[in-house]
Structure formats: C-alpha cells, structure tokens
Amino acid sequence: MMKPRDVNTIEQAKRIVEERGLTHVKVGIFDTDGVMRGKYMSKEKFFSALDHGFGFCDVVLGWDSKDQLYDNVSYTGWHTGYPDAPVRIVPDTCRDLPLEEDMLLFIAEFCEQAADLCPRNLLHRIVQRAEAMGFDPFAALEYEFFVFKETPHSARDKGFKNLEPLSPDWFGYSVLRNSVHSDLYQQILDMSEQMDFPIEGIHTETGPGVIEAAIAVDQAANAADKAALFKTFMKVLAQRNGLMATFMAKWSNDYPGQSGHIHISLKHRDGSGSAFYDPSQPHGMSEIQRHFLAGQQRLMPEFLSLIAPTINSYSRLVPGFWAPTDATWGVENRTTALRIIPGSEKTQRIEYRLGSADGNPYLAMAAALASGLYGIQNEWEPEPMVEGNAYEQQHPGHLHLPSTLWDAAQRLKNSKAARELFGDAFVDHFAASREWEEREFRKHVTDWEMARYFEII
C-alpha cells in the first residue's frame, strides 16, 4: 500500500485513492488570510481535476475571514460576477486525515491570472527567486496558541467574554500541566506525525492555557504548508475534544500576545553547505547572512502588513510583551525583531521574531525570505546591533514599525521593493484587502469606547 507522503505524481495520487477504495477525497486551498477553504470531491471528479485542473469560485480571493465581500478590489467582485478561477491539485501534498479514518487531503492552488494573488503561489515564486540566486531556503515556524474549555457555540453565547482557559494562571514550561493534559498533547503529537508536520518541541507558555509548538525544519515551501496545516488542524483537533484553540495575536490585554516566529536559513545549491555560516567572522555571520539580515531589517516596515495582517496584530506590537516595535536586530536577543542565532554549519540562522500567530504562513514566509534576498541582491549592510533591552533604547526613525494596519497597508502599497518582488497585482489586491479590514473595524464601537465616553464625555 502506498503511503500519502510517497505520492509525487498524478498517477500515484490516483493509485492511492484506488488502493484505499475511497469514493471521495478532501481538497483544500488557502485564501488570503491563510484560512483553508475546500470540499469533498468524488473520485471521478478528483481524477479529472488531477488531469485537467478544476474551477474554484474566485470569491475566496475576494472576501474576508468572515465571508464579507471586498468592495475595493479589481480582480474579482460583483463587477465580474465571481466566476470560477482555474485551480490545480498538488499531488505531493497528499496527507492522511487521521481524524477521518482513511480519508486523504490534498492542497490545491490557483493558476493563471489568479496565481498572482494566491498566497501559496506567491511563496513558490519567491523560492524560485532564491534558487535562481543559487540558494535553497530552509525554515521552521513556531506558534503560540491559547486553548479554552469552550465550543464555538459557548464562546458566542458568552460574547467572547469570561472564557475559561484549559488551565489557570501563569505556568510556562510546566511539566505539571503537560502531564495532567498528556492525552491532549499526545493527540497533537500523533496528528502532527501522521499529517507530516512533525513537532520538534511543545510546551506550556506563560499564560493560562497557552501552548507553544515548534514545527520541525524543512525547505521553505514545505515549511509553510506544514505551518498552514498545523494551524488548521490544531483547531479541528481542539474542537473535536470539546475545546477551542485560538491563534489571535492578542485575545486579552492581561496576557502576552501570541507569536508566529520564523527560523530561516540559506544553503548553497551547489552542495557547499550553509550560506549563513562563516566561522572566521564575528558571531559566525557570513557576508551573505549579513546582507540577508539587512534586507529583512530595512524592508520590515514596508512588509509589516504581510507579517501582522489583522487589526488585532497591532495590539500585540507594544513594548514589554516580547513583541518588537522597531526593526532591530541582535545576537541571541529576544527583545529585538531579528535574532541572530549563532551556531554551526547546521544551526546558524535568523529568527524573524516579528511574526504574529494570526499571520498567513505563506505570506509571512514570503516577506521574511524575499526581503532577505533583496538585501543580498543589493549588498545592503545592517544597522548597528542592539545590545541589552531594545525596548529601552532609542532607534532611528526609519526603523520604526507602522502602528496600525492602515499605515502598514500604505507602506506596502508604496513599496518599490514589494512591487518588484511580489508584483503589482498582488500588492494592490492585498493592500486593498487590509484597507477593507481597517474600514470594517471602524464600523464598530468597542467596549473601551463605551466605558471611556458613554457617561463622561
């Protein structure tokens, strides 16, 4: 019997479906916000789609995470009638769905004109740029997420207030907590192995019911697939256990925000090893790593909306809560936006600490990788290294990060580098989608406004 992760071709995809005697297969595609949209397809339709592609309503590129339709984009909308866009199934993404017996899952991606806007396709274009420059990019993502003793119904009934976390109080790296809840942890570990997003480490973080999981390193394109699948099916697993997992950047002002850090490195395609490691240089940083770091630093303010894509993302980016507020870098310094991790030929890397848990893994990875490649291309040099607490130091104005989603969208829209790296079609569409998100937010009155103004003003 063929194993799902041995599938590489269309014929092998058909074979494994036949071997399992499946009448239907699950197919999913990730939208602009990193939400997996999909359907069950009959075997006959699935086989035809493998050979010829199929059509998927392009509304998933024209609505937000609440299925509300953008009114400010040109690619799709009422003016186009929301037609089907061409989509291809990617055979080598085949996965077991352990929560559904013998069911199989395949990832799909948009083609032709829609490919310009497709997050997965965008990342693959950036990876191809790296390969053309002689590099193979490797990456690993790690996520913090809170788990609650709630269901989608109970959370809404409570108005998302007074939610009960899986465990109380602050207790990071707790053996007590992960032993008491070992059944849940084991389910997470088992699922991650069976679906091929293996977890290198998992532990409680500081805060009630918060868990951090580090996904094992892989080539950058594969790493993004694994991260996107982890976020999706961690939520599925939680709900099947009568729980809820959230990847919001910050669900409460009483607790730290939730990050989605990216560890990234380059290897030479010619087999000569790490492009980041040079033992003769300070901190083992090669010239290539220095330029890569400089690109990430200089373009971080322009690419922020790709890394922090929601209104809520900016509630996390405040001083003192382990989230950077300026495009700074340091060596083994967790107060900076970019952390150099010195090591060896195998371990020398950069941790892109800006990322929020709510980010789309494909877009966050594309931003972190593309900016670094642009730094290499232009032979940029980084600003001086930060030592000590970055929050307590003054930094040049050009290192300040936008403080709202609207401002971040404007920086992206006006970024020459973004248009060169990602294309005009994507930049215009994504920036418009973030402007929409900010306008949707401004339609609502918050609890803070009511408590501050209702009686007194």
Side-chain angles (χ1 to χ4, degrees):
M1 292 282 287
M2 175 166 282
K3 296 179 180 179
R5 302 307 291 136
D6 291 334
V7 172
N8 289 296
T9 66
I10 289 174
E11 290 309 313
Q12 288 173 332
K14 293 178 180 179
R15 177 182 153 192
I16 193 170
V17 172
E18 293 281 18
E19 286 181 352
R20 295 198 176 192
L22 297 177
T23 61
H24 291 76
V25 178
K26 186 175 283 189
V27 176
I29 192 165
F30 288 97
D31 70 9
T32 303
D33 288 293
V35 177
M36 195 176 211
R37 312 281 186 167
K39 61 178 79 174
Y40 292 98
M41 297 177 70
S42 69
K43 181 179 76 173
E44 294 74 22
K45 173 69 174 177
F46 178 73
F47 283 8
S48 173
L50 283 169
D51 289 330
H52 309 295
F54 70 102
F56 203 108
C57 182
D58 74 1
V59 73
V60 302
L61 294 172
W63 66 15
D64 63 20
S65 59
K66 292 287 283 184
D67 293 5
Q68 300 304 298
L69 303 170
Y70 301 142
D71 63 5
N72 60 344
V73 297
S74 60
Y75 169 75
T76 190
W78 292 116
H79 61 288
T80 67
Y82 295 107
D84 281 349
V87 167
R88 76 177 191 98
I89 295 168
V90 186
D92 65 8
T93 63
C94 180
R95 254 87 174 176
D96 269 316
L97 280 178
L99 303 178
E100 300 186 40
E101 297 183 355
D102 288 332
M103 181 56 63
L104 293 171
L105 169 72
F106 288 81
I107 297 175
E109 64 181 14
F110 286 103
C111 305
E112 299 179 18
Q113 183 184 359
D116 292 342
L117 312 183
C118 176
R120 187 176 191 273
N121 215 304
L122 176 70
L123 174 59
H124 281 249
R125 294 197 297 273
I126 299 302
V127 169
Q128 289 168 5
R129 176 183 285 264
E131 292 172 347
M133 293 172 66
F135 305 115
D136 284 322
F138 285 78
L141 289 95
E142 55 188 30
Y143 287 107
E144 295 167 351
F145 56 99
F146 278 81
V147 181
F148 295 88
K149 293 180 180 179
E150 303 287 350
T151 69
H153 291 292
S154 72
R156 284 166 173 79
D157 288 344
K158 292 181 175 183
F160 298 96
K161 297 178 181 177
N162 302 314
L163 303 178
E164 183 182 358
L166 178 65
S167 55
D169 215 346
W170 301 58
F171 202 173
Y173 297 101
S174 171
V175 172
L176 173 61
R177 296 279 188 255
N178 67 23
S179 298
V180 169
H181 299 291
S182 61
D183 287 350
L184 176 62
Y185 278 80
Q186 194 58 55
Q187 287 182 57
I188 297 170
L189 293 171
D190 289 345
M191 178 181 70
S192 72
E193 292 293 331
Q194 292 173 49
M195 293 192 69
D196 189 31
F197 41 79
I199 291 175
E200 187 176 84
I202 184 168
H203 60 87
T204 63
E205 252 296 351
T206 296
V210 62
I211 296 173
E212 179 173 330
I215 305 167
V217 66
D218 202 340
Q219 293 187 351
N222 294 335
D225 278 344
K226 293 180 178 186
L229 290 170
F230 170 76
K231 288 183 65 177
T232 301
F233 287 94
M234 183 61 239
K235 287 179 277 193
V236 171
L237 179 64
Q239 291 189 28
R240 288 176 72 108
N241 279 277
L243 305 169
M244 288 188 74
T246 181
F247 289 81
M248 277 185 68
K250 197 172 178 69
W251 73 273
S252 169
N253 286 328
D254 296 328
Y255 306 110
Q258 299 180 96
S259 65
H261 297 163
I262 305 171
H263 293 254
I264 195 164
S265 63
L266 300 180
K267 291 184 180 179
H268 291 291
R269 299 208 80 203
D270 61 10
S272 59
S274 171
F276 276 8
Y277 182 60
D278 184 347
S280 69
Q281 296 300 310
H283 314 297
M285 290 178 63
S286 70
E287 182 179 56
I288 289 172
Q289 186 180 26
R290 221 174 49 245
H291 295 327
F292 190 92
L293 171 70
Q296 289 186 316
Q297 181 179 40
R298 189 177 300 191
L299 294 179
M300 188 178 286
E302 297 176 25
F303 291 4
L304 182 61
S305 61
L306 297 168
I307 302 292
T310 72
I311 294 292
N312 185 246
S313 300
Y314 297 82
S315 297
R316 169 179 167 264
L317 300 178
V318 294
F321 277 99
W322 297 98
T325 53
D326 295 279
T328 53
W329 75 277
V331 175
E332 286 291 12
N333 189 332
R334 285 183 168 86
T335 69
T336 56
L338 297 162
R339 171 187 168 219
I340 296 296
I341 303 177
S344 64
E345 182 82 18
K346 183 178 180 181
T347 61
Q348 184 88 13
R349 63 191 187 276
I350 297 174
E351 182 185 20
Y352 200 99
R353 292 184 54 80
L354 182 67
S356 297
D358 60 358
N360 181 332
Y362 297 105
L363 299 185
M365 184 82 76
L369 176 58
S371 56
L373 296 175
Y374 205 73
I376 295 173
Q377 176 186 323
N378 290 283
E379 297 184 344
W380 286 342
E381 292 293 337
E383 299 283 339
M385 177 179 70
V386 170
E387 297 186 65
N389 187 347
Y391 300 127
E392 295 179 345
Q393 301 178 33
Q394 292 293 319
H395 306 291
H398 63 274
L399 296 183
H400 295 342
L401 299 176
S403 58
T404 68
L405 181 60
W406 180 271
D407 290 342
Q410 305 317 301
R411 293 294 299 271
L412 180 73
K413 195 159 60 172
N414 293 308
S415 171
K416 176 185 174 184
R419 292 185 178 278
E420 180 179 335
L421 291 163
F422 307 133
D424 288 333
F426 174 82
V427 170
D428 289 336
H429 185 86
F430 187 77
S433 77
R434 299 310 96 183
E435 291 173 347
W436 160 271
E437 191 80 5
E438 200 275 342
R439 285 195 289 117
E440 286 295 283
F441 174 68
R442 281 194 281 119
K443 292 178 182 177
H444 295 82
V445 178
T446 66
D447 291 345
W448 185 90
E449 291 169 279
M450 291 296 291
R452 191 170 188 88
Y453 303 129
F454 185 83
E455 178 188 4
I456 298 171
I457 291 296

PDB file of all heavy atoms in Angstrom, residues 387-414:
ATOM      1  N   GLU A 387      22.347  45.821  21.746  1.00  0.00           N
ATOM      2  CA  GLU A 387      22.723  45.024  22.912  1.00  0.00           C
ATOM      3  C   GLU A 387      21.861  45.467  24.083  1.00  0.00           C
ATOM      4  O   GLU A 387      21.592  46.643  24.263  1.00  0.00           O
ATOM      5  CB  GLU A 387      24.206  45.208  23.226  1.00  0.00           C
ATOM      6  CG  GLU A 387      25.119  44.722  22.108  1.00  0.00           C
ATOM      7  CD  GLU A 387      26.586  44.773  22.489  1.00  0.00           C
ATOM      8  OE1 GLU A 387      26.973  44.025  23.416  1.00  0.00           O
ATOM      9  OE2 GLU A 387      27.328  45.557  21.877  1.00  0.00           O
ATOM     10  N   GLY A 388      21.414  44.518  24.887  1.00  0.00           N
ATOM     11  CA  GLY A 388      20.546  44.845  26.008  1.00  0.00           C
ATOM     12  C   GLY A 388      19.101  44.928  25.578  1.00  0.00           C
ATOM     13  O   GLY A 388      18.700  44.396  24.523  1.00  0.00           O
ATOM     14  N   ASN A 389      18.283  45.602  26.365  1.00  0.00           N
ATOM     15  CA  ASN A 389      16.846  45.674  26.150  1.00  0.00           C
ATOM     16  C   ASN A 389      16.520  46.668  25.040  1.00  0.00           C
ATOM     17  O   ASN A 389      16.670  47.879  25.197  1.00  0.00           O
ATOM     18  CB  ASN A 389      16.153  46.089  27.447  1.00  0.00           C
ATOM     19  CG  ASN A 389      14.646  46.011  27.353  1.00  0.00           C
ATOM     20  OD1 ASN A 389      14.074  45.884  26.271  1.00  0.00           O
ATOM     21  ND2 ASN A 389      13.982  46.085  28.496  1.00  0.00           N
ATOM     22  N   ALA A 390      16.060  46.154  23.906  1.00  0.00           N
ATOM     23  CA  ALA A 390      15.766  47.010  22.754  1.00  0.00           C
ATOM     24  C   ALA A 390      14.628  47.985  23.039  1.00  0.00           C
ATOM     25  O   ALA A 390      14.559  49.062  22.448  1.00  0.00           O
ATOM     26  CB  ALA A 390      15.420  46.149  21.544  1.00  0.00           C
ATOM     27  N   TYR A 391      13.726  47.619  23.965  1.00  0.00           N
ATOM     28  CA  TYR A 391      12.587  48.478  24.266  1.00  0.00           C
ATOM     29  C   TYR A 391      13.007  49.770  24.960  1.00  0.00           C
ATOM     30  O   TYR A 391      12.304  50.782  24.883  1.00  0.00           O
ATOM     31  CB  TYR A 391      11.586  47.751  25.168  1.00  0.00           C
ATOM     32  CG  TYR A 391      11.008  46.480  24.580  1.00  0.00           C
ATOM     33  CD1 TYR A 391      11.059  45.284  25.274  1.00  0.00           C
ATOM     34  CD2 TYR A 391      10.398  46.495  23.330  1.00  0.00           C
ATOM     35  CE1 TYR A 391      10.526  44.118  24.739  1.00  0.00           C
ATOM     36  CE2 TYR A 391       9.865  45.339  22.785  1.00  0.00           C
ATOM     37  CZ  TYR A 391       9.928  44.153  23.498  1.00  0.00           C
ATOM     38  OH  TYR A 391       9.399  43.007  22.968  1.00  0.00           O
ATOM     39  N   GLU A 392      14.124  49.740  25.648  1.00  0.00           N
ATOM     40  CA  GLU A 392      14.555  50.891  26.434  1.00  0.00           C
ATOM     41  C   GLU A 392      15.507  51.803  25.662  1.00  0.00           C
ATOM     42  O   GLU A 392      16.035  52.754  26.217  1.00  0.00           O
ATOM     43  CB  GLU A 392      15.236  50.416  27.721  1.00  0.00           C
ATOM     44  CG  GLU A 392      14.299  49.673  28.664  1.00  0.00           C
ATOM     45  CD  GLU A 392      14.996  49.190  29.915  1.00  0.00           C
ATOM     46  OE1 GLU A 392      16.250  49.182  29.911  1.00  0.00           O
ATOM     47  OE2 GLU A 392      14.309  48.815  30.883  1.00  0.00           O
ATOM     48  N   GLN A 393      15.725  51.524  24.391  1.00  0.00           N
ATOM     49  CA  GLN A 393      16.689  52.286  23.605  1.00  0.00           C
ATOM     50  C   GLN A 393      15.990  53.053  22.489  1.00  0.00           C
ATOM     51  O   GLN A 393      14.951  52.631  21.981  1.00  0.00           O
ATOM     52  CB  GLN A 393      17.745  51.334  23.017  1.00  0.00           C
ATOM     53  CG  GLN A 393      18.503  50.550  24.081  1.00  0.00           C
ATOM     54  CD  GLN A 393      19.499  49.577  23.476  1.00  0.00           C
ATOM     55  OE1 GLN A 393      20.074  49.835  22.426  1.00  0.00           O
ATOM     56  NE2 GLN A 393      19.712  48.447  24.147  1.00  0.00           N
ATOM     57  N   GLN A 394      16.585  54.171  22.117  1.00  0.00           N
ATOM     58  CA  GLN A 394      16.086  54.959  21.002  1.00  0.00           C
ATOM     59  C   GLN A 394      16.643  54.395  19.695  1.00  0.00           C
ATOM     60  O   GLN A 394      17.822  54.047  19.617  1.00  0.00           O
ATOM     61  CB  GLN A 394      16.499  56.424  21.155  1.00  0.00           C
ATOM     62  CG  GLN A 394      15.836  57.141  22.322  1.00  0.00           C
ATOM     63  CD  GLN A 394      14.345  57.299  22.121  1.00  0.00           C
ATOM     64  OE1 GLN A 394      13.892  57.610  21.014  1.00  0.00           O
ATOM     65  NE2 GLN A 394      13.573  57.073  23.179  1.00  0.00           N
ATOM     66  N   HIS A 395      15.800  54.323  18.686  1.00  0.00           N
ATOM     67  CA  HIS A 395      16.228  53.800  17.393  1.00  0.00           C
ATOM     68  C   HIS A 395      15.905  54.805  16.298  1.00  0.00           C
ATOM     69  O   HIS A 395      14.957  55.600  16.431  1.00  0.00           O
ATOM     70  CB  HIS A 395      15.525  52.463  17.113  1.00  0.00           C
ATOM     71  CG  HIS A 395      15.703  51.449  18.203  1.00  0.00           C
ATOM     72  ND1 HIS A 395      16.909  50.848  18.467  1.00  0.00           N
ATOM     73  CD2 HIS A 395      14.825  50.948  19.115  1.00  0.00           C
ATOM     74  CE1 HIS A 395      16.767  50.013  19.486  1.00  0.00           C
ATOM     75  NE2 HIS A 395      15.523  50.060  19.899  1.00  0.00           N
ATOM     76  N   PRO A 396      16.666  54.794  15.209  1.00  0.00           N
ATOM     77  CA  PRO A 396      16.414  55.740  14.111  1.00  0.00           C
ATOM     78  C   PRO A 396      14.978  55.632  13.602  1.00  0.00           C
ATOM     79  O   PRO A 396      14.379  54.551  13.611  1.00  0.00           O
ATOM     80  CB  PRO A 396      17.417  55.300  13.039  1.00  0.00           C
ATOM     81  CG  PRO A 396      18.484  54.571  13.782  1.00  0.00           C
ATOM     82  CD  PRO A 396      17.815  53.910  14.940  1.00  0.00           C
ATOM     83  N   GLY A 397      14.453  56.751  13.145  1.00  0.00           N
ATOM     84  CA  GLY A 397      13.064  56.791  12.706  1.00  0.00           C
ATOM     85  C   GLY A 397      12.717  55.798  11.623  1.00  0.00           C
ATOM     86  O   GLY A 397      11.598  55.271  11.586  1.00  0.00           O
ATOM     87  N   HIS A 398      13.675  55.535  10.715  1.00  0.00           N
ATOM     88  CA  HIS A 398      13.344  54.632   9.615  1.00  0.00           C
ATOM     89  C   HIS A 398      13.207  53.183  10.065  1.00  0.00           C
ATOM     90  O   HIS A 398      12.778  52.328   9.284  1.00  0.00           O
ATOM     91  CB  HIS A 398      14.402  54.731   8.507  1.00  0.00           C
ATOM     92  CG  HIS A 398      15.778  54.315   8.926  1.00  0.00           C
ATOM     93  ND1 HIS A 398      16.672  55.180   9.528  1.00  0.00           N
ATOM     94  CD2 HIS A 398      16.418  53.122   8.836  1.00  0.00           C
ATOM     95  CE1 HIS A 398      17.800  54.546   9.785  1.00  0.00           C
ATOM     96  NE2 HIS A 398      17.673  53.294   9.386  1.00  0.00           N
ATOM     97  N   LEU A 399      13.557  52.874  11.331  1.00  0.00           N
ATOM     98  CA  LEU A 399      13.384  51.529  11.853  1.00  0.00           C
ATOM     99  C   LEU A 399      12.045  51.353  12.563  1.00  0.00           C
ATOM    100  O   LEU A 399      11.677  50.223  12.913  1.00  0.00           O
ATOM    101  CB  LEU A 399      14.513  51.183  12.833  1.00  0.00           C
ATOM    102  CG  LEU A 399      15.930  51.127  12.271  1.00  0.00           C
ATOM    103  CD1 LEU A 399      16.914  50.700  13.360  1.00  0.00           C
ATOM    104  CD2 LEU A 399      16.008  50.161  11.082  1.00  0.00           C
ATOM    105  N   HIS A 400      11.294  52.448  12.769  1.00  0.00           N
ATOM    106  CA  HIS A 400      10.020  52.344  13.460  1.00  0.00           C
ATOM    107  C   HIS A 400       9.020  51.583  12.588  1.00  0.00           C
ATOM    108  O   HIS A 400       8.928  51.807  11.373  1.00  0.00           O
ATOM    109  CB  HIS A 400       9.451  53.736  13.773  1.00  0.00           C
ATOM    110  CG  HIS A 400      10.274  54.529  14.743  1.00  0.00           C
ATOM    111  ND1 HIS A 400      11.221  53.953  15.565  1.00  0.00           N
ATOM    112  CD2 HIS A 400      10.290  55.868  15.028  1.00  0.00           C
ATOM    113  CE1 HIS A 400      11.784  54.885  16.311  1.00  0.00           C
ATOM    114  NE2 HIS A 400      11.247  56.060  15.991  1.00  0.00           N
ATOM    115  N   LEU A 401       8.261  50.721  13.218  1.00  0.00           N
ATOM    116  CA  LEU A 401       7.260  49.940  12.505  1.00  0.00           C
ATOM    117  C   LEU A 401       5.926  50.671  12.513  1.00  0.00           C
ATOM    118  O   LEU A 401       5.593  51.350  13.498  1.00  0.00           O
ATOM    119  CB  LEU A 401       7.089  48.569  13.161  1.00  0.00           C
ATOM    120  CG  LEU A 401       8.343  47.683  13.183  1.00  0.00           C
ATOM    121  CD1 LEU A 401       8.069  46.397  13.954  1.00  0.00           C
ATOM    122  CD2 LEU A 401       8.801  47.366  11.769  1.00  0.00           C
ATOM    123  N   PRO A 402       5.147  50.568  11.444  1.00  0.00           N
ATOM    124  CA  PRO A 402       3.805  51.157  11.470  1.00  0.00           C
ATOM    125  C   PRO A 402       3.017  50.638  12.670  1.00  0.00           C
ATOM    126  O   PRO A 402       3.146  49.472  13.049  1.00  0.00           O
ATOM    127  CB  PRO A 402       3.184  50.675  10.152  1.00  0.00           C
ATOM    128  CG  PRO A 402       4.363  50.392   9.257  1.00  0.00           C
ATOM    129  CD  PRO A 402       5.452  49.900  10.172  1.00  0.00           C
ATOM    130  N   SER A 403       2.196  51.496  13.246  1.00  0.00           N
ATOM    131  CA  SER A 403       1.487  51.126  14.474  1.00  0.00           C
ATOM    132  C   SER A 403       0.045  50.707  14.248  1.00  0.00           C
ATOM    133  O   SER A 403      -0.641  50.307  15.183  1.00  0.00           O
ATOM    134  CB  SER A 403       1.525  52.287  15.472  1.00  0.00           C
ATOM    135  OG  SER A 403       0.939  53.447  14.898  1.00  0.00           O
ATOM    136  N   THR A 404      -0.426  50.814  12.999  1.00  0.00           N
ATOM    137  CA  THR A 404      -1.786  50.372  12.675  1.00  0.00           C
ATOM    138  C   THR A 404      -1.769  49.599  11.359  1.00  0.00           C
ATOM    139  O   THR A 404      -0.849  49.753  10.532  1.00  0.00           O
ATOM    140  CB  THR A 404      -2.752  51.552  12.522  1.00  0.00           C
ATOM    141  OG1 THR A 404      -2.404  52.301  11.344  1.00  0.00           O
ATOM    142  CG2 THR A 404      -2.713  52.466  13.741  1.00  0.00           C
ATOM    143  N   LEU A 405      -2.806  48.813  11.142  1.00  0.00           N
ATOM    144  CA  LEU A 405      -2.912  48.049   9.904  1.00  0.00           C
ATOM    145  C   LEU A 405      -3.055  48.978   8.708  1.00  0.00           C
ATOM    146  O   LEU A 405      -2.497  48.713   7.636  1.00  0.00           O
ATOM    147  CB  LEU A 405      -4.104  47.092   9.992  1.00  0.00           C
ATOM    148  CG  LEU A 405      -4.331  46.191   8.772  1.00  0.00           C
ATOM    149  CD1 LEU A 405      -3.115  45.304   8.510  1.00  0.00           C
ATOM    150  CD2 LEU A 405      -5.582  45.326   8.965  1.00  0.00           C
ATOM    151  N   TRP A 406      -3.789  50.066   8.878  1.00  0.00           N
ATOM    152  CA  TRP A 406      -3.953  51.009   7.760  1.00  0.00           C
ATOM    153  C   TRP A 406      -2.596  51.567   7.329  1.00  0.00           C
ATOM    154  O   TRP A 406      -2.273  51.583   6.140  1.00  0.00           O
ATOM    155  CB  TRP A 406      -4.886  52.156   8.165  1.00  0.00           C
ATOM    156  CG  TRP A 406      -5.089  53.149   7.059  1.00  0.00           C
ATOM    157  CD1 TRP A 406      -4.329  54.243   6.797  1.00  0.00           C
ATOM    158  CD2 TRP A 406      -6.080  53.090   6.034  1.00  0.00           C
ATOM    159  NE1 TRP A 406      -4.792  54.913   5.684  1.00  0.00           N
ATOM    160  CE2 TRP A 406      -5.873  54.219   5.195  1.00  0.00           C
ATOM    161  CE3 TRP A 406      -7.134  52.221   5.748  1.00  0.00           C
ATOM    162  CZ2 TRP A 406      -6.689  54.481   4.086  1.00  0.00           C
ATOM    163  CZ3 TRP A 406      -7.942  52.485   4.642  1.00  0.00           C
ATOM    164  CH2 TRP A 406      -7.719  53.592   3.829  1.00  0.00           C
ATOM    165  N   ASP A 407      -1.797  52.027   8.291  1.00  0.00           N
ATOM    166  CA  ASP A 407      -0.483  52.575   7.961  1.00  0.00           C
ATOM    167  C   ASP A 407       0.413  51.519   7.318  1.00  0.00           C
ATOM    168  O   ASP A 407       1.167  51.817   6.385  1.00  0.00           O
ATOM    169  CB  ASP A 407       0.190  53.122   9.219  1.00  0.00           C
ATOM    170  CG  ASP A 407      -0.496  54.381   9.738  1.00  0.00           C
ATOM    171  OD1 ASP A 407      -1.247  55.008   8.973  1.00  0.00           O
ATOM    172  OD2 ASP A 407      -0.291  54.720  10.915  1.00  0.00           O
ATOM    173  N   ALA A 408       0.329  50.294   7.814  1.00  0.00           N
ATOM    174  CA  ALA A 408       1.148  49.213   7.245  1.00  0.00           C
ATOM    175  C   ALA A 408       0.747  48.936   5.804  1.00  0.00           C
ATOM    176  O   ALA A 408       1.600  48.686   4.944  1.00  0.00           O
ATOM    177  CB  ALA A 408       1.003  47.952   8.092  1.00  0.00           C
ATOM    178  N   ALA A 409      -0.543  48.998   5.518  1.00  0.00           N
ATOM    179  CA  ALA A 409      -1.016  48.783   4.146  1.00  0.00           C
ATOM    180  C   ALA A 409      -0.508  49.879   3.216  1.00  0.00           C
ATOM    181  O   ALA A 409      -0.163  49.611   2.050  1.00  0.00           O
ATOM    182  CB  ALA A 409      -2.541  48.720   4.127  1.00  0.00           C
ATOM    183  N   GLN A 410      -0.456  51.115   3.717  1.00  0.00           N
ATOM    184  CA  GLN A 410       0.050  52.214   2.879  1.00  0.00           C
ATOM    185  C   GLN A 410       1.543  52.020   2.587  1.00  0.00           C
ATOM    186  O   GLN A 410       2.010  52.298   1.472  1.00  0.00           O
ATOM    187  CB  GLN A 410      -0.186  53.565   3.568  1.00  0.00           C
ATOM    188  CG  GLN A 410      -1.629  53.833   3.969  1.00  0.00           C
ATOM    189  CD  GLN A 410      -2.638  53.440   2.911  1.00  0.00           C
ATOM    190  OE1 GLN A 410      -2.603  53.933   1.786  1.00  0.00           O
ATOM    191  NE2 GLN A 410      -3.548  52.531   3.274  1.00  0.00           N
ATOM    192  N   ARG A 411       2.283  51.563   3.592  1.00  0.00           N
ATOM    193  CA  ARG A 411       3.722  51.317   3.367  1.00  0.00           C
ATOM    194  C   ARG A 411       3.920  50.229   2.322  1.00  0.00           C
ATOM    195  O   ARG A 411       4.822  50.328   1.473  1.00  0.00           O
ATOM    196  CB  ARG A 411       4.403  50.916   4.683  1.00  0.00           C
ATOM    197  CG  ARG A 411       4.457  52.015   5.740  1.00  0.00           C
ATOM    198  CD  ARG A 411       5.341  53.193   5.321  1.00  0.00           C
ATOM    199  NE  ARG A 411       6.720  52.824   5.097  1.00  0.00           N
ATOM    200  CZ  ARG A 411       7.671  52.822   6.028  1.00  0.00           C
ATOM    201  NH1 ARG A 411       7.371  53.182   7.276  1.00  0.00           N
ATOM    202  NH2 ARG A 411       8.907  52.497   5.738  1.00  0.00           N
ATOM    203  N   LEU A 412       3.102  49.185   2.363  1.00  0.00           N
ATOM    204  CA  LEU A 412       3.217  48.122   1.362  1.00  0.00           C
ATOM    205  C   LEU A 412       2.859  48.651  -0.021  1.00  0.00           C
ATOM    206  O   LEU A 412       3.562  48.400  -1.004  1.00  0.00           O
ATOM    207  CB  LEU A 412       2.301  46.950   1.728  1.00  0.00           C
ATOM    208  CG  LEU A 412       2.346  45.772   0.742  1.00  0.00           C
ATOM    209  CD1 LEU A 412       3.652  44.997   0.900  1.00  0.00           C
ATOM    210  CD2 LEU A 412       1.155  44.833   0.948  1.00  0.00           C
ATOM    211  N   LYS A 413       1.783  49.385  -0.090  1.00  0.00           N
ATOM    212  CA  LYS A 413       1.299  49.884  -1.374  1.00  0.00           C
ATOM    213  C   LYS A 413       2.319  50.791  -2.049  1.00  0.00           C
ATOM    214  O   LYS A 413       2.414  50.831  -3.285  1.00  0.00           O
ATOM    215  CB  LYS A 413      -0.026  50.634  -1.145  1.00  0.00           C
ATOM    216  CG  LYS A 413      -0.801  50.896  -2.391  1.00  0.00           C
ATOM    217  CD  LYS A 413      -2.281  51.147  -2.123  1.00  0.00           C
ATOM    218  CE  LYS A 413      -2.531  52.328  -1.225  1.00  0.00           C
ATOM    219  NZ  LYS A 413      -3.990  52.647  -1.145  1.00  0.00           N
ATOM    220  N   ASN A 414       3.095  51.510  -1.256  1.00  0.00           N
ATOM    221  CA  ASN A 414       4.071  52.458  -1.800  1.00  0.00           C
ATOM    222  C   ASN A 414       5.494  51.907  -1.837  1.00  0.00           C
ATOM    223  O   ASN A 414       6.447  52.647  -2.086  1.00  0.00           O
ATOM    224  CB  ASN A 414       4.042  53.742  -0.973  1.00  0.00           C
ATOM    225  CG  ASN A 414       2.729  54.492  -1.114  1.00  0.00           C
ATOM    226  OD1 ASN A 414       2.294  54.760  -2.226  1.00  0.00           O
ATOM    227  ND2 ASN A 414       2.078  54.808  -0.002  1.00  0.00           N
TER     228      ASN A 414
END
